[in-house]
Amino acid sequence: MRVIAGKARRLPLKTIEGLDTRPTTDRIKETLFNILQNDLYDIRFLDIFSGSGGIGIEALSRGASEAYFIENNRAAAACIKENLKFTHLDAQATLLQCDVLAGLGRLEGQKPFQIIFMDPPYGKELEREVLEYIAVHNPSFVDASTQIIVEARLGTDFSYAEDLGFTVDRVKEYKTNMHVFLHK
């Protein structure tokens, strides 16, 4: 895994051993960032279920002014810290090592993020929990212009999103997974 473009282009990123995380492949990451390329400059980016931090680091490398990472796994959080330091992007980053819902609570009072990306473990409906949290709590860090992107297993049901007040703008399907683009 590596940074694809921007300031940290071509730098390799570490990942943790085992099956606790499932890093987004370079090919899928490149497709995602080709979609986002015009929306990254000088934005606030939130990477939820961050794993090794590859998505948030790519956003920083491509021009995001700051990125927040929420990751509960201790080994993954240590990996994010190492990757941020290695890419020299650590000054623009904040890592919250905690449960996702606790991390979202800690962000209350923050100004809005322009992009929120989440890649939760598949099959546990954690993306729904995050979307429900946003719908119920209406946090300050989400506004009408915030784009929410969920990486999920292909075929994951998002029919509930409209009931929570979200609009699905786009679905980009890959061989085994997909990116769902939503806004409130």
Side-chain angles (χ1 to χ4, degrees), residues 22-74:
R22 180 188 28 46
T24 301
T25 65
D26 284 351
R27 183 179 206 138
I28 291 174
K29 184 167 52 168
E30 185 169 16
T31 300
L32 172 64
F33 280 94
N34 284 340
I35 293 168
L36 297 176
Q37 68 185 349
N38 296 325
D39 301 325
L40 291 170
Y41 183 73
D42 203 28
I43 66 161
R44 298 183 78 232
F45 191 96
L46 175 58
D47 186 352
I48 304 173
F49 306 101
S50 303
S52 62
I55 297 294
I57 289 170
E58 188 74 33
L60 286 171
S61 180
R62 291 180 183 232
S65 60
E66 60 182 318
Y68 280 69
F69 300 82
I70 302 176
E71 177 55 59
N72 196 33
N73 180 297
R74 184 171 294 150

Side-chain angles (χ1 to χ4, degrees), residues 101 108 129-141 184:
L101 296 181
E108 187 52 54
E129 285 184 37
V130 171
L131 294 173
E132 286 174 348
Y133 178 94
I134 292 170
V136 170
H137 295 282
N138 198 23
S140 64
F141 59 85
K184 192 154 172 36

Side-chain angles (χ1 to χ4, degrees), residues 71-143:
E71 177 55 59
N72 196 33
N73 180 297
R74 184 171 294 150
C79 187
I80 293 168
K81 285 180 188 177
E82 284 182 50
N83 284 332
L84 285 165
K85 186 174 182 178
F86 179 70
T87 57
H88 304 289
L89 297 168
D90 49 332
Q92 298 168 260
T94 302
L95 172 61
L96 303 175
Q97 184 186 334
C98 58
D99 171 77
V100 167
L101 296 181
L104 294 176
R106 289 172 56 185
L107 292 174
E108 187 52 54
Q110 295 266 342
K111 59 186 178 179
F113 290 96
Q114 286 72 41
I115 297 177
I116 296 174
F117 177 85
M118 69 175 112
D119 184 6
Y122 292 170
K124 296 184 178 184
E125 294 195 8
L126 295 172
E127 64 279 352
R128 185 177 187 146
E129 285 184 37
V130 171
L131 294 173
E132 286 174 348
Y133 178 94
I134 292 170
V136 170
H137 295 282
N138 198 23
S140 64
F141 59 85
V142 176
D143 68 13

